[in-house]
Each structure stands twice: as C-alpha cells, then as structure tokens.
Amino acid sequence: MMMKVWQWQWHLSRPTDAAASSSTSTSTSLEMRRHCTSTTVCFLILASCTLVAYLAFFADQLQLPWTSPTTVCLLCPSALYNPNPNQLIHIPPALGPASPSASTDLSHIIFAIGGSAQTWDQRRAYTELWWRPNHTRGHVWLDQAPIGTWPDTGPPYRISRDMSRYGNRASASRIAAAVVEAYQLVSVSSAPEKEKVRWFVMGDDDTVFFVENLIGVLQKYDHKQMYYVGMPSESVEQDVMHSYGMAFGGGGFAISYPAVAELAGVMDTCLDRYAYFYGSDQRVQSCLAELGIPLTREPGFHQVDVRGEIYGMLAAHPIAPLVSLHHLDYVNPIIPNRPSQLESLQSLFSAYRVDPARILQQAFCYDAGAGVVLSVSVSWGYTVQVYPSVRPPHELETPLQTFKTWRTSSDGPFIFNTRPSGDPCARPFIYFFDRVLRNQTDASLTQYTASKAQAQGDAKAMCNNKGFSAASRIDRVRVLAAKMDPFLWKQAPRRHCCMARRTKWGRMLEVQIKYCSPGESTMTPLST
C-alpha cells in the first residue's frame, strides 16, 4: 500500500516525455551514489567506534607491534625491564649469602609470645595470620592452663613460672622472663637443635609479625654477636615516660642467642631491682643495659602507640621492611573498605605473600598531560594516593596527620614529622588495595579501588581546579611492580622509581614501579 502511494505521488510530479525520462535517470543515479556513500560512512564510523572501545577497555592486555611498550602497554611485564627501547633499566645484582648455611632462616628463630589464658581466644586470630604450624618455632607463655582444647592453628603454649611475689606487677615480670625461659628450653635440647637457634623474638599475643621481613632484617646482623634489635614507640610522650633506648614489646624485638645467654645469668636479680617498672619491655631493656647491650633500631617494628586512623603512618612507611604491627584493636580498620580489622589484615597479607619485601614500600611519580600534572604516591599492597597538583617527594614521604597520640589523643609530638591533610584542592584521592590481578616469577600486577567515602562523593569537596577534576575521574589504579629481592635490604636503602599515566578516558591510572636508572630523579620528567 505504501509503495502504491509513493508511485502515485511520483507520477503526479514527474515531467512529461523525453525530458522526464532523462531527469528520472539522473535522479536515480544520484540517489544510488548517495546511498552507497552513506552506507560506507556508517560502516567506517561503526568500525572506528569498535576499535576505540576495544583499545579503551583492553589496552592493558594489548601490545601493538608499531608502538613501544610504554605507549600502549605500560602494564605489560616486559615494560619493567625496557620501557624505553633506547634506554636500559639498571637492575642491581641480588645480594645473596655466601652460602645457604650462612643465611638466617625461619628455623633459626624462637618466638616467645606473651599472653594470658583470659585474652588468648580473643586475640589468637592475629597470631594465626602469621604463625605456620610445623614450621614456626616457639610458644605462647600463659599465666595458667587454658580451658578446653588448645587449637593447633597457632603456637603451642607453656605455663610461665610463678611470679606472684611481685604482686600487681607479676604479669609484667612473668612476660619479661619468658625470653629466658625460652632460652632454658633450648639449652636442654639436643646439641644440633641448640646450635641451630640464633635469635629469640618477643612479642605480645596481639602482635602481627611479617616473618619474611623479620628474617630479612636479622640477616643483616651477625647472630654470634650480642644484639638487641627493635624500635621505641611512635609517640614521644610514651618514650619520655619509659625510654627512647627501649624496644617496645608490642612492636616486638629480637635478641641474639649470646645476648640472651648473658641475660639469663642476671634475670632473677634484675627483675627484683626493677619490680616497680610498668611493663615487661622496660624490665628487659634495663637488664640488657646492665650488660652494656644497647638497642639497635630497625624502623619496621611498629608499636602503633597511636589512636584513630593509622592510614597516614602506613601510607608513608620508611624505606625499610615492614616487620610488625601492634595495638590493632585500638585503631580503626586499616582498610576502611573492609568490614573489620581482621579482614583488613587478611587483605594486606594477600598482597604481602606475593611480594613480602615490597609491602608498604613507597614509590613516587607524576602523570603530566593536557595541562594537568597529578602526583602519585604508591604504598605497595596497601594504598595509592593521587594529588591534583605537583607534590615534591620530601612532602610525599611525610605521613599525613590522620592519627592522635596514645595517651592524650593529641596531635603529637611523634618521633617523625607529620603534615596536615590541607585544603580540599590539595587533599589526595585515596585508593585501597583490592586484589592481585597477576602474579609472575619476576613481577606482579595489583589493583586498587577508591575508598568508600571517596566513591560516595564525601571526599570530593568544592574545588574547581583542573587537576582536581582530572583526579576525581580516576576510579581504579593498577600497579605493575618488579619483585623485590629480600637481600636488597643488605644494600643502602633507596626508594624505587615509577611511571604513571591515565587510560580508559582518564578513569584508570596505570603505574609501573621499577628499579631506578643511573642518575634518575623522581622530578626529572617534570623538568624536561
């Protein structure tokens, strides 16, 4: 019916005779050419849109032959070693031990964990995160026998000797003596077992150790010498009250076998002299001071004598292996995207197990383009911060003030510098570790997603600058990083370098962490 109407209308309007015939032929030819042209254009537009969409969503997995790895595939593992075909990346040689027997390993360490029968069930999940049954050696020392069946997912227990003569300070004296009791157990064992022990490590029942990194730290020291290794409190008020020369027990500390052997000879009389002290750690330090053994500081031991959000402290970890965390029941979950502290730690450990030496290690770089420069700070396996303007490294390595002091809940002082979060235009956009996307022998690819508050818009306060707008569009970050050699900690510490760029219409940030080239500076890309 529609065809008939169209034919009738065309018949009414057509010219007559030969002129009409010529006009009809020309019109039909033009119509056909227009139809072919429009069809071709539509096809080309469709093909172009398809290619753009594919590149946008799969560029992280694509490497085109006519482009360099940096241009298309920043997250390809090959880019770690040759991001610029004309420039070789310097990878320092691994510093291994002279022979396998010379290197300290897990079998050389005895743990003495201070606990109580009343608190163990509430705190044991922290120890079970890092304890490896049948591989980790040591005991949790209790005040009395526990009720019910003892779980085999953590350390076996021992009952400490009676310290009731110290009255209300009995618990501190009991835990202080645990390191000597652990030594006495070893001293009556067979000669091969006794000779294997090199270090005694003390901690609390809510201390979380990162064992591979603890081993990495102890490998730096001669276990045949007298060493006392740990770290004082983060809070100055705590150190003034107790001692700057004391390793706080919740953060854990390590004492070499010869030092504990000397300590065993003076412990009983020493505990009598210092019965008035508050904590077990201060008793141990005072006894070691009598023997002339000073504290050797290692900044990876963390007492966590702070309150509230410890995000700023963890996001700016010193260039040192993360060894321990404590007081985690007294601070907010370290990853707000997780519902509990334990699940936050499980998430952190899922990254840690992929690359133990790199956990929390910082790398700084900049994404410059289209009149915008974004500053990027990566705390590997934990968080990424994106600043909407240029922030120099000396600022990025200073912790944000997100926490308060332990005793007075004030803004400090601490044993390190802090910086305020600043105005909305200077505040970082924060992304937390989500998952490991790829785990290869020499590299890993991890993903970080926006914090819940940021995703809900709470962090996007009024700010009109161009950098803020660009940073606000990023909803996830992917980080490709070379695996760190744990023996690298035997060298002078140096922060690794990185490169960053936005992809997928600015919605994703790609970061590549690599060993620094000779003469490379973090700020070099901004000065060229």
Side-chain angles (χ1 to χ4, degrees), residues 13 56 86 99 102-103 180 186 315 348 377 395 462:
S13 60
N86 300 317
S99 66
S103 179
V180 168
V186 171
L348 189 69
S377 171
E395 179 180 324
M462 294 288 292

Side-chain angles (χ1 to χ4, degrees), residues 35 39 70 81 240 260 273 280 286 318 323 350 383-384 387 389 424 497 527:
H35 178 72
T39 301
T70 306
Y81 306 109
V240 169
V260 178
R273 276 191 291 278
S280 60
S286 298
V323 176
S350 69
T383 188
V384 175
Y387 290 81
S389 57
C497 295
S527 58

Side-chain angles (χ1 to χ4, degrees), residues 13-139:
S13 60
R14 65 178 177 166
T16 58
D17 305 330
S21 176
S22 175
S23 176
T24 301
S25 176
T26 303
S27 176
T28 302
S29 178
L30 289 172
E31 185 67 29
M32 290 179 65
R33 281 198 294 269
R34 280 197 298 269
H35 178 72
C36 290
T37 302
S38 62
T39 301
T40 302
V41 170
C42 289
F43 175 79
L44 290 174
I45 292 173
L46 179 62
S48 299
C49 290
T50 302
L51 179 60
V52 170
Y54 183 82
L55 290 173
F57 289 98
F58 299 100
D60 56 317
Q61 300 173 11
L62 182 67
Q63 192 166 4
L64 300 181
W66 60 83
T67 55
S68 69
T70 306
T71 303
V72 174
C73 193
L74 190 63
L75 298 185
C76 290
S78 60
L80 276 173
Y81 306 109
N82 193 15
N84 183 344
N86 300 317
Q87 178 184 6
L88 294 177
I89 293 300
H90 174 64
I91 302 179
L95 271 183
S99 66
S101 61
S103 179
T104 294
D105 60 38
L106 188 57
S107 68
H108 298 131
I109 301 172
I110 299 293
F111 288 91
I113 307 300
S116 72
Q118 287 74 31
T119 62
W120 177 252
D121 279 342
Q122 290 77 43
R123 293 180 169 184
R124 75 181 199 188
Y126 289 130
T127 303
E128 289 170 348
L129 275 172
W130 59 269
W131 188 270
R132 299 170 193 169
N134 303 319
H135 291 89
T136 319
R137 306 173 67 193
H139 298 87

Side-chain angles (χ1 to χ4, degrees), residues 127-407:
T127 303
E128 289 170 348
L129 275 172
W130 59 269
W131 188 270
R132 299 170 193 169
N134 303 319
H135 291 89
T136 319
R137 306 173 67 193
H139 298 87
V140 55
W141 293 85
L142 303 179
D143 50 350
Q144 61 187 26
I147 298 173
T149 304
W150 187 259
D152 59 4
T153 50
Y157 73 88
R158 285 272 178 172
I159 308 300
S160 301
R161 59 193 173 101
D162 181 33
M163 292 285 183
S164 58
R165 71 180 186 274
Y166 294 111
N168 61 356
R169 298 297 189 193
S171 178
S173 295
R174 175 182 69 81
I175 294 174
V179 66
V180 168
E181 292 192 73
Y183 164 79
Q184 290 168 342
L185 282 177
V186 171
S187 65
V188 297
S189 61
S190 63
E193 283 299 306
K194 187 189 307 183
E195 292 170 1
K196 184 182 287 187
V197 177
R198 298 180 179 182
W199 296 91
F200 293 86
V201 174
M202 292 199 69
D204 286 352
D205 54 4
D206 61 343
T207 302
V208 174
F209 284 107
F210 296 81
V211 176
E212 284 82 3
N213 290 343
L214 170 65
I215 294 168
V217 166
L218 298 182
Q219 285 173 345
K220 299 195 303 184
Y221 301 103
D222 181 358
H223 63 276
K224 296 178 182 179
Q225 304 297 317
M226 294 186 191
Y227 276 108
Y228 165 48
V229 182
M231 195 67 185
S233 171
E234 297 85 358
S235 181
V236 167
E237 60 189 22
Q238 288 290 91
D239 291 325
V240 169
M241 180 176 294
H242 299 290
S243 172
Y244 278 99
M246 178 185 91
F248 277 62
F253 54 85
I255 310 178
S256 62
Y257 190 100
V260 178
E262 288 292 306
L263 184 63
V266 302
M267 180 60 87
D268 285 343
T269 56
C270 187
L271 288 178
D272 289 337
R273 276 191 291 278
Y274 303 113
Y276 60 91
F277 281 155
Y278 174 79
S280 60
D281 43 15
Q282 195 169 10
R283 287 165 168 77
V284 172
Q285 186 271 330
S286 298
C287 297
L288 289 170
E290 290 188 1
L291 296 169
I293 303 173
L295 174 65
T296 298
R297 294 188 177 202
E298 279 288 343
F301 290 86
H302 296 285
Q303 171 73 5
V304 192
D305 272 345
V306 298
R307 304 275 186 177
E309 295 278 358
I310 62 170
Y311 173 80
M313 190 170 77
L314 297 184
H317 195 270
I319 306 176
L322 171 65
V323 176
S324 67
L325 294 172
H326 181 234
H327 277 158
L328 294 167
D329 279 338
Y330 299 91
V331 294
N332 299 340
I334 61 174
I335 300 180
N337 292 5
R338 309 294 180 185
S340 69
Q341 189 68 282
L342 183 59
E343 288 173 281
S344 293
L345 289 167
Q346 289 168 340
S347 178
L348 189 69
F349 264 81
S350 69
Y352 164 74
R353 293 186 183 101
V354 167
D355 195 351
R358 190 174 289 285
I359 193 73
L360 295 194
Q361 295 308 302
Q362 281 188 290
F364 308 142
C365 45
Y366 302 90
D367 175 29
V372 172
V373 178
L374 303 181
S375 302
V376 180
S377 171
V378 177
S379 177
W380 190 89
Y382 178 54
T383 188
V384 175
Q385 297 174 352
V386 179
Y387 290 81
S389 57
V390 176
R391 299 289 167 181
H394 74 266
E395 179 180 324
L396 296 176
E397 68 183 7
T398 304
L400 284 168
Q401 178 73 64
T402 62
F403 42 86
K404 303 289 186 179
T405 58
W406 177 255
R407 292 183 63 84

